[in-house]
Amino acid sequence: MIGGGLVDEGYGGDVDAVLLWWRAGEGVLADALLAAGAVLSEGRFVLLLNPKVGGYGRPEDIDEAVVLTGFHRASAIELRHWHGVLLTKPNRSR
């Protein structure tokens, strides 16, 4: 929550943002995105970070997971040793 502390994956309420570090070989990205979407407050976002070197994963795998889970790419960013993708999800009421 904005103004609140950080929480881990065991938190039971809605959150304003999810910061997700993901490396190839750490499970199924679509599953991680579905879990993130389940706790995400309406109109909020996921920042997905992948290492630039060693385990980045294929961009097409990321694209596929994003589409399968109903997220949309809002923008891409570069953070020193990480690629970042800001993902949004349409409002549930639509």
Side-chain angles (χ1 to χ4, degrees), residues 25-46:
E26 290 187 339
V28 179
L29 178 57
D31 291 343
L33 289 174
L34 285 173
V39 298
L40 201 59
S41 295
E42 204 165 303
R44 302 304 182 173
F45 63 90
V46 171

Side-chain angles (χ1 to χ4, degrees), residues 11-30:
Y11 178 72
D14 286 349
V15 298
D16 294 318
V18 173
L19 178 58
L20 177 61
W21 282 275
W22 182 77
R23 290 181 172 94
E26 290 187 339
V28 179
L29 178 57

Side-chain angles (χ1 to χ4, degrees), residues 17 20 30 39 44 48 50-51 54 67 75 88:
L20 177 61
V39 298
R44 302 304 182 173
L48 172 63
N50 307 93
V67 170
S75 61
T88 60

